Amino acid sequence: MRRRPRVNYELDSGNIQELSDQEIKMILRGADELIDRGGRTLLTKLLKGSRDKKVLEYKLDLCPAYGFYKKLTLKEISYRVDWMIKEDYLRISYNGRLPMLIFSEKGWQIEEDFFAQEIYQALYENVIENKREILSEMSSINRQVVMDVLEMIRKSKNKEFLPILEDWKNQEVRKVRERITSVQRSLENPKEKPQVRLKKAKKENWREVMKLIHKAVQRDYPEYYPDGVIQFICMYYERQRIQAMIQAKQIWIYQLDGAIIGTAVLDKNQIADIYMLSENREKGCERHMIQELEKNIDKIYETIHAEASLLDWKSYEENGFHKVREEKMELLNDCKMSIVILEKKNGEESHVSE
């Protein structure tokens, strides 16, 4: 029997030049409901609010994005969906002969945050109404989204979440139970000193590491570097590279009560590429992370070398490193990134205490 050919497609974004942040979020939210099981046409119908048989069969009418574009025609909506693909928020992947939608890494980062906020709000409503309806859905939700939700609960400092957290914990796998226990401890004892830990990243940490790097660069680097540098770093630290570096045992993570708040590359006696959000850096977490990284450098090396961005090189200085020089790294399209080279004698005392 002759195999039937793949269904071809052609993208057409019409005259669409840009979409608002809200439009991007809602299209991604709709796409999340049919990743790997539906394509552009089905997403267009969802956003239109269609009563199409397949839309109802997949219960897409329950999605928050259902009917978001109800005032537009299907053609106008399809232009917007194709724009999202052209701008690499979504991608096409064949499942057999059919072209299905999948997330790009850029698109998933936006959807992950948006979806986590949605789940957090649903949990809070269950708390207020003394219900547990949302808990039956938690096991089917992406693990990283679950971790994001738990971090939101921790930051809320709202003890009203404690009863639902206990019920949630009883139905979860070990790693999620551990994070829930950590959040419970934070809510019950807000003045208790948080637990910090530096360790080598494991293969399951790649997504959290990538998200942290991209978020830190996009939020904190614009003050120090042009857009080209930011785009290059996000492109450089994509899934395959991070996974390879984790396999080579070069990426380390700095955890605060189980949540990854910092990451760095440690190769032999060189520390590089520390990424941490500014709010944690300002609390002294970056300085402490550097101290802990130093402890994991073998004593056979007399000197510790460091490559720092313009954003974090002062943290090295506060840890006893000495500035050697400033270099300009050649990136793509004639873009250059200034970095600071520092060094320190191995075992030399730092300026900050633990």
Side-chain angles (χ1 to χ4, degrees), residues 28 47 55 66 73 76 79 118 140 175 257 289 297 314:
L28 292 172
L47 293 165
V55 170
Y66 179 76
T73 66
E76 289 170 330
Y79 288 153
E118 180 185 323
S140 63
K175 288 188 176 180
D257 282 336
M289 182 181 180
I297 294 176
K314 286 290 186 180

Side-chain angles (χ1 to χ4, degrees), residues 316-328:
Y316 285 97
E317 274 203 334
E318 291 169 354
N319 268 22
F321 281 78
H322 309 284
K323 182 178 178 180
V324 177
R325 64 186 180 277
E326 189 170 321
E327 293 183 354
K328 288 191 180 294

Side-chain angles (χ1 to χ4, degrees), residues 7-13 27 31 34 37-48 74-75 77-86 90-94 98-102:
V7 175
N8 293 323
Y9 67 91
E10 186 174 336
L11 299 177
D12 181 4
S13 57
I27 294 173
L34 44 86
R37 65 171 181 170
R40 297 149 62 230
T41 300
L42 192 55
L43 176 56
T44 298
K45 290 179 178 179
L46 182 160
L47 293 165
K48 173 65 177 175
L74 287 172
K75 189 64 175 175
I77 300 170
S78 72
Y79 288 153
R80 287 157 173 78
V81 171
D82 284 359
W83 183 89
M84 293 284 287
I85 298 169
K86 286 186 173 183
L90 293 169
R91 294 174 183 168
I92 298 291
S93 176
Y94 276 91
L98 298 177
M100 300 294 186
L101 289 170
I102 60 172

Side-chain angles (χ1 to χ4, degrees), residues 207-264:
R207 192 182 295 277
E208 279 187 275
V209 168
M210 186 178 73
K211 179 184 177 183
L212 174 61
I213 292 173
H214 289 203
K215 189 173 183 178
V217 169
Q218 290 165 354
R219 274 183 46 179
D220 300 337
Y221 271 44
E223 184 179 346
Y224 300 87
Y225 294 107
D227 289 343
V229 170
I230 294 167
Q231 291 170 8
F232 176 84
I233 295 173
C234 291
M235 180 182 67
Y236 182 85
Y237 278 109
E238 43 74 46
R239 173 178 181 169
Q240 289 78 10
R241 189 179 304 277
I242 290 173
Q243 288 176 328
M245 294 177 77
I246 289 176
Q247 187 173 0
K249 303 186 185 302
Q250 294 176 334
I251 292 187
W252 290 66
I253 53 176
Y254 185 80
Q255 294 178 308
L256 184 70
D257 282 336
I260 298 175
I261 66 163
T263 184

Side-chain angles (χ1 to χ4, degrees), residues 325-340:
R325 64 186 180 277
E326 189 170 321
E327 293 183 354
K328 288 191 180 294
M329 291 178 59
E330 296 280 350
L331 306 180
L332 298 176
N333 301 321
D334 296 324
C335 187
K336 297 180 180 180
M337 177 180 180
S338 296
I339 60 169
V340 180

